[in-house]
Amino acid sequence: MTGTTVPMNGHANGAAKKGGVAKAKKYDFKPVNHAEFAQKGMALYRAPSLLQPHRAREAILDSHQGKIPPLLGYYMGLSSPPLAKVVAQLGYDLVWIDWEHASTNVETMTQMVHDIQFISEGRTHALVRVPGHDHAAIGFALDAGASIVCPQVDTVEQAQHIVSAAKFGAIRNGTRSAPPARFMPGLSDTPVDPSRTLHECLNDQAAIIIQIETVEGIHNLDAILTECGEYIDSVWLGSLDARVSMGLSGMGGVEPEWLEAVALFESTLTKHNQAVSGFSLGPPEVRAVLSKGKSFLMVAADFHSIVGNGLQDLASSKAEYKQQSQEGVYKRIDI
């Protein structure tokens, strides 16, 4: 697709490639007032029904272009609707539901998506990391009203399959099945743009985030974005998996081969003007490095808070509560 413009829905949407750099995507939705983002958060980009995905593609692009601040997310690695109900009230822009590594079934994932979007009243949008590239799993997450994160994308063919599974309509080789009982007539099927069909709008609402998690994926990223970049809304470097694929250990390092791989990854993103996402956890100096160039960040996580706070609380409690006899500590009153 290099050097060509591919319409996304009959309108002049998409990101045409010119000289290897992607033009800004354009959407036919009613413009948002970016100055209201601080007050409304992702509610500024919500759909007519919270059963639909937010206008997440547009929000990520706006953040990438500096029209709004970076989107801030909470990572949920634990499969827990009660916890999702609490996190939904915290005010994060995005909540990541990890369906890849958590013991989650379709019903639980769907419940968590609905809890996040309804209890937050649209201020927070749900992301679901799907378990691999399974066509059905991609559809389940999108049908629930979430955007999707697809792990371990190594090749152009895999990226093409993901886009096909996530989109309606043959114009983009879309193979997603229209869910008849999800968007109910007269209740939840109102399109964001009344001049277009519901399914055209849905294609431009939910975001696709791909994770590059091997050195093979890093080397193929240029070809992936050249072929599918107009449909990929953000790229995430899975540092741990990528390092493991190279025979390295840990989340970070300064090995020459790793620094070379990261430099190639970053150069490719710059070439395609591609939005980037990732974790930003740890002390301020670490977060400053991790957040560089990213349009949305996972700045908190359930496991991170539980482990970090739990260990700190335990250590301080052990220091505070010394071994001693508790016999006779309370004053006895004879009645």
Side-chain angles (χ1 to χ4, degrees):
M1 282 194 253
T2 304
T4 62
T5 301
V6 181
M8 294 185 70
N9 49 41
H11 299 258
N13 291 350
K17 305 289 183 181
K18 185 177 182 180
V21 177
K23 292 182 179 179
K25 299 180 179 71
K26 296 181 179 179
Y27 303 101
D28 295 326
F29 304 143
K30 180 181 178 182
V32 300
N33 182 353
H34 299 110
E36 296 180 329
F37 185 80
Q39 178 184 3
K40 296 183 177 180
M42 283 294 286
L44 196 65
Y45 294 90
R46 61 159 290 178
S49 168
L50 290 174
L51 291 169
Q52 296 180 24
H54 283 54
R55 294 157 59 174
R57 302 194 71 197
E58 184 182 359
I60 291 172
L61 181 62
D62 284 350
S63 174
H64 178 62
Q65 295 178 342
K67 297 176 182 178
I68 59 174
L71 304 177
L72 303 181
Y74 188 102
Y75 173 93
M76 287 194 66
L78 303 177
S79 179
S80 173
L83 180 57
K85 290 179 173 65
V86 175
V87 172
Q89 301 174 62
L90 299 179
Y92 286 91
D93 301 314
L94 305 164
V95 172
W96 171 309
I97 299 168
D98 196 343
W99 193 14
E100 182 188 19
H101 291 300
S103 56
T104 306
N105 57 27
V106 174
E107 291 82 0
T108 301
M109 176 275 295
T110 302
Q111 181 66 60
M112 292 172 69
V113 170
H114 291 173
D115 287 343
I116 289 163
Q117 298 192 172
F118 279 84
I119 290 179
S120 72
E121 298 182 280
R123 183 175 177 85
T124 303
H125 179 48
L127 299 175
V128 173
R129 176 157 67 174
V130 295
H133 307 156
D134 178 64
H135 187 283
I138 290 171
F140 283 138
L142 293 169
D143 287 354
S147 289
I148 57 171
V149 181
C150 295
Q152 297 181 324
V153 180
D154 296 326
T155 68
V156 170
E157 291 75 20
Q158 290 172 343
Q160 289 174 323
H161 166 77
I162 290 165
V163 170
S164 174
K167 300 297 184 181
F168 299 110
I171 194 170
R172 58 187 56 77
N173 195 32
T175 57
R176 182 182 171 193
S177 178
R182 282 291 187 182
F183 309 118
M184 302 296 287
L187 296 176
S188 51
D189 69 336
T190 301
V192 173
D193 178 0
S195 71
R196 301 162 64 202
T197 69
L198 170 67
H199 300 99
E200 287 176 337
C201 290
L202 292 173
N203 279 336
D204 281 349
Q205 288 168 224
I208 298 174
I209 297 95
I210 63 168
Q211 291 188 290
I212 301 298
E213 301 186 271
T214 65
V215 67
E216 178 188 7
I218 292 174
H219 285 285
N220 287 335
L221 183 57
D222 181 42
I224 289 170
L225 293 178
T226 298
E227 180 65 24
C228 303
E230 63 266 44
Y231 309 127
I232 293 170
D233 301 290
S234 187
V235 178
W236 178 298
L237 176 61
S239 299
L240 179 58
D241 279 321
R243 286 177 58 81
V244 169
S245 80
M246 300 171 67
L248 306 173
S249 63
M251 291 289 290
V254 293
E255 302 89 348
E257 63 269 37
W258 173 245
L259 296 180
E260 182 181 346
V262 171
L264 175 60
F265 176 80
E266 294 177 347
S267 174
T268 304
L269 296 170
T270 298
K271 173 182 176 181
H272 291 271
N273 191 22
Q274 177 65 57
V276 194
S277 47
F279 276 119
S280 183
L281 301 172
E285 60 274 16
V286 173
R287 295 200 302 270
V289 174
L290 294 177
S291 64
K292 181 181 178 181
K294 295 182 173 66
S295 56
F296 83 76
L297 305 161
M298 289 293 139
V299 296
D302 49 10
F303 71 88
H304 188 263
S305 298
I306 290 171
V307 173
N309 294 336
L311 289 175
Q312 183 178 2
D313 291 344
L314 179 60
S316 61
S317 296
K318 284 183 174 181
E320 181 178 356
Y321 303 117
K322 301 297 185 180
Q323 178 181 343
Q324 65 177 12
S325 172
Q326 307 298 339
E327 296 177 317
V329 171
Y330 299 130
K331 182 178 179 180
R332 176 176 175 177
I333 301 174
D334 293 324
I335 299 176

